[in-house]
Structures are given as C-alpha cells and as structure tokens.
Amino acid sequence: MHGVGGENVRVLIADDAAIVRKVMVEMLEQAGHVVVGQAGAGEDAVRLYDDLRPDVAVLDVNMPGLDGIAAAEQIRLAHPTARVVLTSVYVNESRLERVHGLGSIDYVLKPFRGRTLVDAVERATGDQS
C-alpha cells in the first residue's frame, strides 16, 4: 500500500486514549503505512502537523481542550491541502455539519471494523490499491 508519490503513507494520529492510539498504529503499520507522530490532545496534533507534515492526520473528535474538529480547522487554515480523517464513537447532526464545513474530510466511526480506518487513510491520499 502506497500513498503520495508511491511512498508509504506517513500518518499522524491523535486520540486522548493511549490504547486507541496503539490499536491505530498497529492497524496502519500492518497495512504498510508509517505513523510519524502521535498526540493525545488537539493542540499537540496541530503542532505536530506543522513539524512533521504527514500525508494524513487521523484525529479523534473527542479530545480535551481543542477537539478533533477544531484541530482539523486549524490544520486546514495553515495547510489548506491537508488531508484529514476524523474518528469518533459518536456522531450527530451538528457534528456532521461542522465536519462538512471543513470540506473533503472523511469521518470514521469507532470501534473500527475491518479495514475502515486503513481504507479512509488510503482514500485521503487517493491510494486505492
């Protein structure tokens, strides 16, 4: 599985639950992708995105402080072409409206089933192999 320019997809993940981050790392690395950074809060995700410039950022919606949607907004403001996948255990209409307002951002429900997370990351980079 390759992403931008035939390289393995470089992914930044942000989730306040360390066990969820561990599961995401395992899923993505098993699919051949590289997790270049991890954050437990939205503010850290924004900073790491600036520092690392990953191909895709996977952000949990429910994080303390800056939530995943607000972090995605800040990332997209600074980097308009940033590719973002949001994750959450809960979805509602107002949350979906906020996500749609950000443009082409994928939304994946937890718990992840099968390849849903990997597929979303690959869709974000245009890699459907």
Short mmCIF file of all heavy atoms in Angstrom, two decimals, residues 92-117:
data_model
loop_
_atom_site.label_atom_id
_atom_site.label_comp_id
_atom_site.label_asym_id
_atom_site.label_seq_id
_atom_site.Cartn_x
_atom_site.Cartn_y
_atom_site.Cartn_z
N ASN A 92 -23.45 12.96 15.48
CA ASN A 92 -24.77 13.59 15.48
C ASN A 92 -24.81 14.64 14.38
O ASN A 92 -23.80 14.94 13.74
CB ASN A 92 -25.12 14.18 16.85
CG ASN A 92 -24.19 15.31 17.26
OD1 ASN A 92 -23.65 16.03 16.43
ND2 ASN A 92 -24.00 15.46 18.55
N GLU A 93 -25.96 15.20 14.14
CA GLU A 93 -26.15 16.12 13.02
C GLU A 93 -25.27 17.37 13.12
O GLU A 93 -24.66 17.78 12.14
CB GLU A 93 -27.63 16.52 12.93
CG GLU A 93 -28.03 17.04 11.56
CD GLU A 93 -27.77 16.04 10.43
OE1 GLU A 93 -28.01 14.84 10.60
OE2 GLU A 93 -27.30 16.48 9.36
N SER A 94 -25.18 17.97 14.31
CA SER A 94 -24.37 19.19 14.43
C SER A 94 -22.89 18.89 14.22
O SER A 94 -22.17 19.69 13.62
CB SER A 94 -24.59 19.86 15.79
OG SER A 94 -24.10 19.06 16.83
N ARG A 95 -22.46 17.73 14.67
CA ARG A 95 -21.06 17.34 14.46
C ARG A 95 -20.80 17.13 12.97
O ARG A 95 -19.78 17.58 12.44
CB ARG A 95 -20.78 16.07 15.25
CG ARG A 95 -19.33 15.69 15.29
CD ARG A 95 -19.12 14.54 16.23
NE ARG A 95 -19.04 15.04 17.60
CZ ARG A 95 -18.93 14.27 18.65
NH1 ARG A 95 -18.90 12.97 18.52
NH2 ARG A 95 -18.84 14.78 19.87
N LEU A 96 -21.72 16.47 12.29
CA LEU A 96 -21.56 16.25 10.85
C LEU A 96 -21.55 17.57 10.08
O LEU A 96 -20.80 17.72 9.12
CB LEU A 96 -22.66 15.32 10.32
CG LEU A 96 -22.49 13.85 10.63
CD1 LEU A 96 -23.69 13.06 10.14
CD2 LEU A 96 -21.20 13.31 10.02
N GLU A 97 -22.36 18.52 10.51
CA GLU A 97 -22.36 19.83 9.86
C GLU A 97 -21.01 20.51 10.01
O GLU A 97 -20.50 21.11 9.06
CB GLU A 97 -23.47 20.72 10.45
CG GLU A 97 -24.85 20.33 10.00
CD GLU A 97 -25.94 21.13 10.69
OE1 GLU A 97 -25.65 22.22 11.22
OE2 GLU A 97 -27.10 20.67 10.68
N ARG A 98 -20.41 20.43 11.20
CA ARG A 98 -19.07 21.00 11.40
C ARG A 98 -18.06 20.32 10.50
O ARG A 98 -17.20 20.98 9.91
CB ARG A 98 -18.64 20.85 12.86
CG ARG A 98 -19.30 21.81 13.82
CD ARG A 98 -18.82 21.60 15.24
NE ARG A 98 -17.43 22.00 15.43
CZ ARG A 98 -16.66 21.57 16.44
NH1 ARG A 98 -17.14 20.73 17.34
NH2 ARG A 98 -15.41 21.97 16.54
N VAL A 99 -18.14 19.00 10.38
CA VAL A 99 -17.21 18.26 9.53
C VAL A 99 -17.40 18.65 8.08
O VAL A 99 -16.42 18.92 7.37
CB VAL A 99 -17.39 16.74 9.72
CG1 VAL A 99 -16.58 15.97 8.70
CG2 VAL A 99 -17.00 16.33 11.13
N HIS A 100 -18.63 18.71 7.60
CA HIS A 100 -18.89 19.07 6.21
C HIS A 100 -18.41 20.48 5.90
O HIS A 100 -17.99 20.77 4.78
CB HIS A 100 -20.37 18.91 5.86
CG HIS A 100 -20.82 17.49 5.81
ND1 HIS A 100 -20.17 16.52 5.09
CD2 HIS A 100 -21.85 16.86 6.42
CE1 HIS A 100 -20.78 15.36 5.25
NE2 HIS A 100 -21.80 15.54 6.06
N GLY A 101 -18.44 21.36 6.90
CA GLY A 101 -17.96 22.72 6.71
C GLY A 101 -16.46 22.79 6.45
O GLY A 101 -15.95 23.80 5.96
N LEU A 102 -15.75 21.72 6.76
CA LEU A 102 -14.30 21.68 6.54
C LEU A 102 -13.92 21.23 5.14
O LEU A 102 -12.76 21.23 4.79
CB LEU A 102 -13.65 20.73 7.56
CG LEU A 102 -13.73 21.17 9.01
CD1 LEU A 102 -13.20 20.06 9.92
CD2 LEU A 102 -12.94 22.44 9.22
N GLY A 103 -14.89 20.79 4.37
CA GLY A 103 -14.58 20.31 3.03
C GLY A 103 -14.40 18.81 3.01
O GLY A 103 -15.05 18.09 3.76
N SER A 104 -13.48 18.35 2.20
CA SER A 104 -13.32 16.90 1.96
C SER A 104 -12.53 16.23 3.09
O SER A 104 -11.36 15.95 2.97
CB SER A 104 -12.62 16.67 0.63
OG SER A 104 -11.36 17.32 0.64
N ILE A 105 -13.23 15.97 4.18
CA ILE A 105 -12.64 15.27 5.31
C ILE A 105 -13.48 14.03 5.57
O ILE A 105 -14.70 14.11 5.64
CB ILE A 105 -12.58 16.18 6.55
CG1 ILE A 105 -11.53 17.28 6.33
CG2 ILE A 105 -12.28 15.38 7.80
CD1 ILE A 105 -11.34 18.19 7.51
N ASP A 106 -12.81 12.89 5.70
CA ASP A 106 -13.50 11.63 5.95
C ASP A 106 -13.81 11.51 7.44
O ASP A 106 -13.14 12.11 8.28
CB ASP A 106 -12.62 10.47 5.50
CG ASP A 106 -13.42 9.28 5.00
OD1 ASP A 106 -14.62 9.18 5.34
OD2 ASP A 106 -12.85 8.46 4.27
N TYR A 107 -14.82 10.70 7.77
CA TYR A 107 -15.27 10.51 9.15
C TYR A 107 -15.47 9.02 9.36
O TYR A 107 -16.23 8.39 8.63
CB TYR A 107 -16.60 11.26 9.33
CG TYR A 107 -17.03 11.45 10.75
CD1 TYR A 107 -16.75 12.64 11.42
CD2 TYR A 107 -17.75 10.48 11.43
CE1 TYR A 107 -17.16 12.84 12.72
CE2 TYR A 107 -18.16 10.68 12.73
CZ TYR A 107 -17.87 11.86 13.38
OH TYR A 107 -18.28 12.07 14.66
N VAL A 108 -14.75 8.44 10.32
CA VAL A 108 -14.82 7.00 10.56
C VAL A 108 -15.28 6.76 12.00
O VAL A 108 -14.75 7.35 12.94
CB VAL A 108 -13.43 6.35 10.36
CG1 VAL A 108 -13.50 4.85 10.63
CG2 VAL A 108 -12.90 6.62 8.97
N LEU A 109 -16.27 5.90 12.15
CA LEU A 109 -16.78 5.58 13.48
C LEU A 109 -15.92 4.51 14.16
O LEU A 109 -15.43 3.59 13.51
CB LEU A 109 -18.22 5.08 13.39
CG LEU A 109 -19.27 6.14 13.06
CD1 LEU A 109 -20.64 5.49 12.89
CD2 LEU A 109 -19.32 7.20 14.16
N LYS A 110 -15.75 4.68 15.48
CA LYS A 110 -15.09 3.67 16.31
C LYS A 110 -16.18 2.88 17.02
O LYS A 110 -17.24 3.43 17.28
CB LYS A 110 -14.18 4.33 17.35
CG LYS A 110 -13.02 5.08 16.76
CD LYS A 110 -12.05 5.57 17.83
CE LYS A 110 -12.50 6.86 18.45
NZ LYS A 110 -11.56 7.42 19.42
N PRO A 111 -15.95 1.62 17.35
CA PRO A 111 -14.72 0.89 17.09
C PRO A 111 -14.55 0.60 15.60
O PRO A 111 -15.54 0.44 14.87
CB PRO A 111 -14.89 -0.40 17.89
CG PRO A 111 -16.38 -0.58 18.00
CD PRO A 111 -16.96 0.81 18.02
N PHE A 112 -13.30 0.59 15.17
CA PHE A 112 -13.01 0.35 13.76
C PHE A 112 -13.37 -1.08 13.40
O PHE A 112 -13.08 -2.01 14.13
CB PHE A 112 -11.52 0.59 13.48
CG PHE A 112 -11.06 1.95 13.92
CD1 PHE A 112 -10.09 2.09 14.89
CD2 PHE A 112 -11.60 3.10 13.36
CE1 PHE A 112 -9.66 3.34 15.30
CE2 PHE A 112 -11.18 4.35 13.76
CZ PHE A 112 -10.21 4.48 14.74
N ARG A 113 -13.99 -1.24 12.27
CA ARG A 113 -14.37 -2.57 11.79
C ARG A 113 -13.56 -2.88 10.53
O ARG A 113 -13.51 -2.07 9.62
CB ARG A 113 -15.85 -2.62 11.47
CG ARG A 113 -16.73 -2.24 12.66
CD ARG A 113 -18.05 -2.97 12.62
NE ARG A 113 -19.01 -2.50 13.59
CZ ARG A 113 -18.91 -2.62 14.90
NH1 ARG A 113 -17.85 -3.14 15.43
NH2 ARG A 113 -19.86 -2.19 15.70
N GLY A 114 -12.92 -4.03 10.53
CA GLY A 114 -12.15 -4.43 9.35
C GLY A 114 -11.11 -3.40 8.99
O GLY A 114 -10.33 -2.96 9.82
N ARG A 115 -11.16 -2.97 7.75
CA ARG A 115 -10.17 -2.03 7.23
C ARG A 115 -10.71 -0.60 7.16
O ARG A 115 -10.17 0.22 6.41
CB ARG A 115 -9.76 -2.47 5.82
CG ARG A 115 -8.83 -3.65 5.78
CD ARG A 115 -8.38 -3.96 4.34
NE ARG A 115 -8.01 -2.79 3.57
CZ ARG A 115 -6.76 -2.36 3.42
NH1 ARG A 115 -5.76 -2.99 3.98
NH2 ARG A 115 -6.51 -1.29 2.68
N THR A 116 -11.74 -0.27 7.92
CA THR A 116 -12.35 1.06 7.75
C THR A 116 -11.36 2.20 7.95
O THR A 116 -11.37 3.16 7.19
CB THR A 116 -13.56 1.26 8.68
OG1 THR A 116 -13.16 1.05 10.04
CG2 THR A 116 -14.71 0.35 8.32
N LEU A 117 -10.50 2.10 8.95
CA LEU A 117 -9.53 3.16 9.20
C LEU A 117 -8.49 3.20 8.08
O LEU A 117 -8.20 4.26 7.52
CB LEU A 117 -8.84 2.96 10.55
CG LEU A 117 -7.73 3.98 10.85
CD1 LEU A 117 -8.30 5.39 10.96
CD2 LEU A 117 -6.98 3.59 12.11
#
